[in-house]
């Protein structure tokens, strides 16, 4: 009787366990797909919105001497592209690409930061040249100070990352311990750089709204004011998604893969 | 001969190992003391600097109808105190108090957030009433949108934290799993709230500098402009220290203690 009971029970238990596992796996993949989709929409959307704002309200881009404002327009667009879109994709891909070999993920991480690099440099030169043409002082505002620190950290992080995690692979085994000890420092400073980029963009958008619209028109919240605020809100949403991805251990490559990554 | 060699070698190895351990321990405590000192100076310093700015350049505080600007001055001071100083100390104490029983650390964390709460509420009411007195619209700027989200998240986090990690201790064992699963979510949203508080402060300082000094005077970087920028830089430095503390596993209570904390 007991044997029959056991025979009857076993398949049921096993089915229920499998179903639980299956459900958990499905849930995890669902969250994974949702986060990737949301992040992609936001990261492309914020740059698209900035370009739309420039063409619809600010007369587009240029580098001629007659309309320096068109040259200034390169500054917000390229800085948002560099500090938010490309840097955001770079962090995102590094954390969620679990199916590729780690060396390819590292290369993707480096390539997206390499795309951000010229954006930040040209975006910086555009505003510097605009200020000089218009006779405006440089580096007086809080926005410029925050942006300067963010750019410095970005450059330093790129140099250290490129040298340590790609060039030092030439001497793979000899540098494994050094590279492994550098990973948490590189990650912490990387997130700090991203957050500083966000702070620079938000203070920059606030400045731009007050310079262009003026305090009185801005307080009436015209269409352009809504667009500027929407760009800021999209940047905050990206920050929230990136911090969620970074804080979730589930999105992290497991320790076995990490060891292999250090060896590659 | 071999035995003599071994006898000669052993004490040397042991001494070297002990000295290594000792050195590592000393280094760790040195880093720990440095981080606490730096964080304390910055957290108290940023509020002190804001109060100095208000008294030296903005005529101090008040809530009378004749000079509404004095009422506005409560806004930056209380928001910096609430979102940066008290919230910063709360995060810091939660992470670095390793010698106390976990329940006391939790209570300290709750008390510092409880000190931040009235600061944020009164700071918000001060600017709302100032706007109404002066006939200025509310909630039009990016700063106000970011601040509104930060305040909402702060309130939600406080309610969830108080209910889940203090009130639910009445039913200690029954709620242990629920509380343990809530810890990473509460921590991630807590850091996001802190970062949003930083963003709100930086955009607010940018607005204030442009409203009070005007674009032209600000671009000449007068003394008051330097003080406003210095408050922003101190906030950024605090953000860097807090993110460093949060990212360092060394400052984290170990997993055995964490289990005990869930049970308390």
């Amino acid at each position: 009787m007991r044997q029959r009971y056991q025979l009857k029970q076993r398949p049921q238990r096993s089915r229920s366990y499998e179903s639980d596992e299956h459900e958990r796996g499905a849930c995890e993949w669902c969250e994974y797909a949702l986060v990737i989709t949301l992040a992609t929409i936001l990261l492309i959307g914020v740059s698209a919105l900035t370009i739309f704002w420039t063409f619809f309200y600010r007369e587009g881009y240029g580098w001629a001497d007659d309309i320096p404002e068109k040259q200034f327009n390169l500054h917000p667009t390229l800085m948002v592209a560099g500090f938010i879109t490309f840097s955001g994709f770079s962090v995102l891909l590094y954390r969620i690409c679990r199916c590729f070999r780690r060396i390819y993920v590292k290369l993707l991480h480096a390539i997206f930061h390499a795309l951000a690099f010229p954006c930040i440099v040209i975006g910086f030169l555009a505003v510097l040249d605009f200020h000089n043409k218009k006779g405006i002082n440089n580096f007086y505002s809080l926005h410029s100070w925050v942006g300067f620190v963010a750019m410095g950290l970005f450059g330093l992080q790129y140099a250290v990352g490129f040298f340590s995690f790609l060039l030092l692979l030439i001497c793979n085994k000899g540098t494994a311990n050094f590279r492994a000890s550098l990973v948490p420092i590189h990650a912490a400073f990387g997130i700090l750089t991203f957050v500083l980029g966000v702070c620079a963009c938000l203070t920059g958008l606030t400045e731009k709204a007050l310079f262009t619209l003026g305090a009185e028109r801005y307080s009436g919240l015209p269409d352009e004011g809504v667009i500027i605020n929407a760009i800021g809100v999209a940047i905050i949403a990206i920050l929230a998604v990136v911090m969620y991805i970074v804080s979730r251990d589930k999105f992290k490559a497991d320790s076995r893969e990490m060891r292999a990554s250090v060896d590659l």
Side-chain angles (χ1 to χ4, degrees), chain A residues 7-63:
Chain A
L7 279 168
K8 254 172 106 181
Q9 287 296 313
R10 255 183 209 150
Q12 264 186 354
R13 262 186 208 158
S14 156
R15 220 182 299 140
S16 150
Y17 175 75
E18 268 169 26
S19 139
D20 269 12
E21 273 290 284
H22 182 74
E23 213 172 288
R24 210 175 303 133
C27 252
E28 203 172 297
W29 276 103
C30 199
E31 183 193 349
Y32 191 74
L34 193 78
V35 166
I36 295 174
T37 313
L38 187 68
T40 307
I41 291 171
L42 283 169
L43 287 167
I44 295 173
V46 75
S47 270
L49 197 61
T50 317
I51 293 169
F52 165 78
W53 167 47
T54 311
F55 276 111
F56 206 79
Y57 295 98
R58 303 274 121 227
E59 298 175 11
Y61 307 100
W63 201 292

Side-chain angles (χ1 to χ4, degrees), chain A residues 63-114:
Chain A
W63 201 292
D65 280 343
D66 51 342
I67 313 174
E69 279 72 17
K70 283 193 178 185
Q71 182 180 333
F72 175 86
N73 292 344
L74 285 167
H75 177 66
T77 311
L78 290 176
M79 286 309 195
V80 166
F83 273 119
I84 309 296
T85 304
F86 288 130
S87 296
F89 267 122
S90 188
V91 176
L92 189 80
L93 287 171
Y94 188 78
R95 269 295 170 123
I96 61 176
C97 279
R98 305 191 285 190
C99 311
F100 299 164
R101 267 185 69 193
R102 177 92 356 206
I103 184 73
Y104 297 139
V105 178
K106 276 183 177 186
L107 281 172
L108 266 178
H109 186 68
I111 286 167
F112 270 91
H113 273 310

